Amino acid sequence: MSKLVIVGTVAFDAIETPFGKTDKILGGAATFIGLAASQFHVNGAIVSVVGGDFPQEDIDMLASKGLNIEGLEVVEDGKTFFWSGKYHNDMNSRDTLVTELNVLENFNPIVPDNYKDSEVVMLGNLHPLVQLGVIEQMTEPKLVVLDTMNFWMDCALPELMQVIAKVDVITINDEEARQLTGEYSLVNAAKKIHTMGPKYVVIKKGEHGALLFHEDEMFYAPALPLAEVFDPTGAGDTFAGGFTGYLAKTGDYSFENMKTAIINGSALASFCVEKFGTERLVGLSRKELHQRLQQFKNLTQFDIELT
Amino acid sequence: MSKLVIVGTVAFDAIETPFGKTDKILGGAATFIGLAASQFHVNGAIVSVVGGDFPQEDIDMLASKGLNIEGLEVVEDGKTFFWSGKYHNDMNSRDTLVTELNVLENFNPIVPDNYKDSEVVMLGNLHPLVQLGVIEQMTEPKLVVLDTMNFWMDCALPELMQVIAKVDVITINDEEARQLTGEYSLVNAAKKIHTMGPKYVVIKKGEHGALLFHEDEMFYAPALPLAEVFDPTGAGDTFAGGFTGYLAKTGDYSFENMKTAIINGSALASFCVEKFGTERLVGLSRKELHQRLQQFKNLTQFDIELT
């Protein structure tokens, strides 16, 4: 098993969907990534920052999942990052209602000494300079995975390109891949992104699944078709956490093993959206995950007989 | 091997895409279905109608593929059905420029005597009453497959519902499934369509692949991610033709075999869009199809180890 460093937000979210709304609940990219990765009992550390208003019980919950929280800075006189959003009826688009950076504004990530030699690094969505700051602290990373979003393309593109040049894998959604490359075809977009640095490109297509590109090879992981999507918040982070958690657990960074890692990420994401926030992930059992992996197998496997 | 009856248009198309435009070329649902099914050397008959302006060489080409053309009526003093359309830059939407029904207006389909006992019937997109007229001529069909479109939901819904009640399989695209059922979730849409008649529901999602639903089982076939889609015309018909051609060839109408049939349909559709009209299908070799089936296998297959 390899060690895993996770950097990203630990936050409060307030969410409104057609099914209901929440007060401030636990959220943040590093939270979802960590909870997903913890399904594989990895030796993982969360590097993030919260304010004095952040409940000790949430910190304890993360620690109880086996996640190291030495790198989770608590700024006692600061407030935790807060995001509020409202999903439209089709659940594929949302409006951001509130974004309060708070303690995130001056966040200086510190990787705990014992995790500087981690093989796997998961850079959750954050300012590219913060992501760069984490890469620079790592002594011998074997697999650096980057998640990002269109916001940084719009307002910090040069810094984002610097990070992209340094990572092995990028996870990005389809519209963002098109924006980053100017290519409509995802095959061509992935080719362009390869030239920017990453040897592996994961394009997330929401309810349509995800594509993995490496050299001339492709892999297509479906999303599980669901009767209801209750709350999509954190699904992309959960996917990334399942992906990197599985890779850290197995220590095998081959294309073949990444296929299985993506299926694990997709399976975990399919749970995430069943309830508000982290609720479903926190209570998830290994047995439930195994059953869902079997569903993914049934969903996609077929025999070809070349008649 | 089972006999296969194919009903649908045999037509002229004029197509404009971002890559170029054509004069009147060979098109029509039954044409694409027949060409796709002929890859499996099935004993298939086309039931359709053309005008005196239809080239004998196109009829000869269909016959040369092993398709029976006794049921292809030629109205000497009539004109062949003509459709013209223009695709937008993203290739996912198009404008219809011209629709001339011509001989299709009074089309009375006659299934050749020797094909009335066919096991498999493929009802290509046409007026629901024409589709019903074909079902009524069949003496012992084992699998009736229906393709339709939103046009008939808008202007002949009661007749369409009559056909839907009589078929075993429906193929329909995602937006049409939502329109027909009022359900946004495709899982829920498929459940509603089951109650209308079809035991098997295939929902086509274009570049995102296709879903097969049967009772509580699901199968997800990806579309092959392509660098360029040259001309999408006929892709849905080609998919349906590959699906029914494979089923007729094997005579096995189980859910498991339908998975393989859908992969064959998707593989053939991925060729169809590479050139204008029927060009790519007419020249397609078995070896090319086998290579592409292997690509689909590589694209989707993975190992799960329940760690």
Side-chain angles (χ1 to χ4, degrees), chain A residues 9-306:
Chain A
T9 53
V10 172
F12 290 132
D13 290 343
I15 300 156
E16 190 173 340
T17 80
F19 300 103
K21 60 188 291 187
T22 70
D23 289 329
K24 284 189 179 183
I25 59 172
L26 176 63
T31 307
F32 285 102
I33 293 167
L35 288 173
S38 73
Q39 279 290 327
F40 306 101
H41 303 293
V42 294
N43 185 359
I46 287 185
V47 176
S48 191
V49 62
V50 291
D53 57 347
F54 194 77
Q56 185 61 40
E57 66 185 60
D58 285 342
I59 296 179
D60 293 344
M61 184 277 291
L62 292 171
S64 78
K65 298 290 180 182
L67 296 164
N68 180 293
I69 43 126
E70 285 170 79
L72 178 58
E73 187 189 355
V74 181
V75 180
E76 288 300 344
D77 61 348
K79 286 179 70 183
T80 300
F81 172 60
F82 173 57
W83 176 83
S84 172
K86 180 176 174 171
Y87 289 87
H88 301 162
N89 278 333
D90 67 3
M91 289 292 203
N92 282 324
S93 56
R94 67 184 185 190
D95 294 325
T96 288
L97 304 176
V98 180
T99 306
E100 293 173 9
L101 284 180
N102 298 331
V103 293
L104 214 58
E105 216 152 347
N106 297 303
F107 176 38
N108 179 28
I110 310 285
V111 177
D113 283 342
N114 190 33
Y115 287 86
K116 287 191 162 59
D117 62 352
S118 296
E119 284 194 0
V120 183
V121 183
M122 178 66 229
L123 305 170
N125 178 44
L126 265 181
H127 194 293
L129 290 181
V130 175
Q131 294 176 320
L132 267 181
V134 169
I135 295 177
E136 282 160 7
Q137 295 174 58
M138 306 307 299
T139 55
E140 42 193 324
K142 289 205 176 157
L143 192 81
V144 181
V145 181
L146 171 69
D147 190 38
T148 188
M149 67 182 293
N150 51 0
F151 180 77
W152 308 114
M153 296 176 203
D154 296 334
C155 69
L157 187 60
E159 296 89 340
L160 178 60
M161 294 305 288
Q162 271 184 273
V163 186
I164 289 177
K166 286 180 187 288
V167 305
D168 303 291
V169 185
I170 184 173
T171 73
I172 190 170
N173 80 29
D174 45 2
E175 285 316 311
E176 290 161 353
R178 288 173 174 139
Q179 178 178 344
L180 185 63
T181 62
E183 294 284 343
Y184 183 80
S185 151
L186 298 179
V187 174
N188 292 339
K191 273 189 194 147
K192 269 206 184 168
I193 296 173
H194 283 317
T195 68
M196 298 172 183
K199 294 185 292 292
Y200 300 88
V201 176
V202 178
I203 298 183
K204 299 174 286 184
K205 307 201 299 170
E207 61 166 322
H208 304 301
L211 286 162
L212 167 66
F213 295 90
H214 171 59
E215 295 174 354
D216 289 331
E217 295 180 293
M218 285 188 290
F219 176 66
Y220 192 130
L224 192 70
L226 295 169
E228 303 289 5
V229 170
F230 192 81
D231 171 19
T233 309
D237 302 313
T238 301
F239 173 85
F243 177 70
T244 45
Y246 183 83
L247 292 173
K249 160 83 178 180
T250 56
D252 172 355
Y253 315 123
S254 66
F255 180 74
E256 280 307 306
N257 200 47
M258 279 190 194
K259 294 180 178 180
T260 310
I262 282 188
I263 295 293
N264 274 276
S266 302
L268 285 163
S270 75
F271 285 113
C272 175
V273 302
E274 290 181 350
K275 293 191 178 173
F276 272 126
T278 59
E279 190 182 346
R280 190 68 177 89
L281 286 182
V282 169
L284 189 67
S285 72
R286 284 192 81 59
K287 191 177 165 198
E288 288 176 304
L289 176 58
H290 288 181
Q291 285 170 342
R292 191 141 302 179
L293 289 169
Q294 191 58 52
Q295 275 183 280
F296 272 81
K297 192 102 186 163
N298 296 343
L299 186 66
T300 55
Q301 309 297 286
F302 59 86
D303 291 320
I304 45 172
E305 189 197 332
L306 300 179

Side-chain angles (χ1 to χ4, degrees), chain B residues 187-301:
Chain B
V187 174
N188 292 338
K191 272 189 195 148
K192 266 205 185 168
I193 297 173
H194 283 317
T195 67
M196 299 172 183
K199 291 185 294 292
Y200 299 89
V201 175
V202 178
I203 299 184
K204 300 175 284 183
K205 307 201 297 169
E207 61 165 323
H208 303 301
L211 286 162
L212 168 66
F213 295 90
H214 171 61
E215 296 174 351
D216 288 331
E217 293 181 294
M218 286 188 289
F219 176 66
Y220 192 131
L224 192 70
L226 296 169
E228 302 289 5
V229 170
F230 192 81
D231 171 19
T233 310
D237 301 314
T238 301
F239 173 84
F243 177 70
T244 44
Y246 183 82
L247 291 173
K249 161 80 179 182
T250 55
D252 172 356
Y253 315 123
S254 67
F255 180 75
E256 280 307 306
N257 200 49
M258 279 192 193
K259 294 181 178 181
T260 310
I262 281 188
I263 295 292
N264 274 276
S266 301
L268 286 162
S270 75
F271 285 113
C272 175
V273 303
E274 289 181 350
K275 293 190 177 175
F276 272 127
T278 60
E279 190 181 344
R280 190 67 178 90
L281 286 183
V282 170
L284 189 68
S285 73
R286 283 192 83 59
K287 192 178 165 196
E288 288 175 303
L289 175 57
H290 288 180
Q291 286 170 341
R292 191 140 302 179
L293 289 170
Q294 190 58 53
Q295 276 183 278
F296 272 81
K297 191 102 187 166
N298 297 342
L299 185 66
T300 55
Q301 309 298 286

